[in-house]
Amino acid sequence: MTDGILTPDQILAAAQDVLRRYGPAKATVVDVARALGVSHGSVYRHFPSKTALREAVTQRWLDEAHAELATVPASDAPAGVRLREWLGALFRSKRRRALDDPELFATYVALVNESSQVVERHVADLVGQVRRIVDAGVARGEFAAPDPAATARAVFHAAVRFHNPAHAAEWSRPGIEDDFTALCDLILLGLEVR
């Protein structure tokens, strides 16, 4: 590969491979450049620092992991169905990544832990998706939520066991699906118009 045709997407793909191979503690920009067959200066032209590269890789991973979620709020289904589907899609995505490739998942958890601004933006986006579902439910008379923004945050945080990587060890335990269903039932009961 020549430096002239190098794209950020190619760099991010190579960085993901390097992270998988060496882990976040040992992976370097030089390793990424070597994997691409370019100078490390070529990588720095697209990403001004190792931190910027790692944040971009983290953002890409989070975006890929949660791509399916973005379509749920726009559905025309009842708000309760949408909220249950959204929470389920989030849980399935995280669990699939944690169980299918635990080493890469652990690498990304380490990156997420050092990319607080990326994570804050990402969480705000996820809570915003829940807010759109709650707003739609209130508008259609399906949900009672005097403060939809606070309700969206509460729903997101109530489901933390099913999406926060700190709980990944629990995601393969017997009964986890039943626990998830019970939580969704409880959330929806709390939002129900009486």
Side-chain angles (χ1 to χ4, degrees), residues 51-111:
T51 300
L53 177 58
R54 289 165 76 102
E55 287 178 349
V57 169
T58 302
Q59 185 67 58
R60 178 181 170 159
W61 181 74
L62 290 169
D63 291 346
E64 289 172 355
H66 302 127
E68 155 186 13
L69 297 174
T71 62
V72 177
S75 164
D76 202 28
V81 171
R82 279 187 272 173
L83 187 54
R84 186 181 296 271
E85 176 53 31
W86 190 92
L87 290 167
L90 180 61
F91 179 38
R92 285 188 306 273
S93 171
K94 290 285 180 86
R95 184 170 59 173
R96 182 174 50 247
R97 287 179 179 268
L99 299 179
D100 290 353
D101 196 344
E103 294 83 14
L104 188 59
F105 186 76
T107 294
Y108 280 107
V109 169
L111 290 177

Side-chain angles (χ1 to χ4, degrees), residues 155-188:
V155 167
F156 183 78
H157 293 302
V160 72
R161 179 179 179 211
F162 303 99
H163 63 77
N164 188 306
H167 298 276
E170 300 174 32
W171 298 342
S172 61
R173 290 188 180 155
I176 194 72
E177 290 287 341
D178 293 336
D179 291 349
F180 176 75
T181 298
L183 176 69
C184 288
D185 291 347
L186 182 65
I187 289 170
L188 293 173

Side-chain angles (χ1 to χ4, degrees), residues 9-175:
D9 196 50
Q10 291 167 323
I11 295 168
L12 293 175
Q16 182 173 347
D17 291 340
V18 167
L19 284 163
R20 176 189 289 274
R21 194 170 330 136
Y22 301 118
K26 294 184 180 177
T28 68
V29 173
V30 172
D31 295 326
V32 174
R34 189 177 301 121
L36 290 164
V38 300
S39 70
H40 65 280
S42 298
V43 174
Y44 283 124
R45 275 196 279 283
H46 294 278
F47 298 97
S49 66
K50 179 180 178 180
T51 300
L53 177 58
R54 289 165 76 102
E55 287 178 349
V57 169
T58 302
Q59 185 67 58
R60 178 181 170 159
W61 181 74
L62 290 169
D63 291 346
E64 289 172 355
H66 302 127
E68 155 186 13
L69 297 174
T71 62
V72 177
S75 164
D76 202 28
V81 171
R82 279 187 272 173
L83 187 54
R84 186 181 296 271
E85 176 53 31
W86 190 92
L87 290 167
L90 180 61
F91 179 38
R92 285 188 306 273
S93 171
K94 290 285 180 86
R95 184 170 59 173
R96 182 174 50 247
R97 287 179 179 268
L99 299 179
D100 290 353
D101 196 344
E103 294 83 14
L104 188 59
F105 186 76
T107 294
Y108 280 107
V109 169
L111 290 177
V112 163
N113 288 333
E114 57 182 59
S115 301
S116 61
Q117 289 183 339
V118 170
V119 173
E120 287 173 19
R121 283 191 310 267
H122 183 68
V123 167
D125 181 52
L126 295 178
V127 171
Q129 291 177 23
V130 175
R131 167 82 189 263
R132 287 193 292 283
I133 295 169
V134 171
D135 283 341
V138 169
R140 292 166 80 168
E142 299 167 353
F143 286 168
D147 183 346
T151 299
R153 285 190 307 275
V155 167
F156 183 78
H157 293 302
V160 72
R161 179 179 179 211
F162 303 99
H163 63 77
N164 188 306
H167 298 276
E170 300 174 32
W171 298 342
S172 61
R173 290 188 180 155

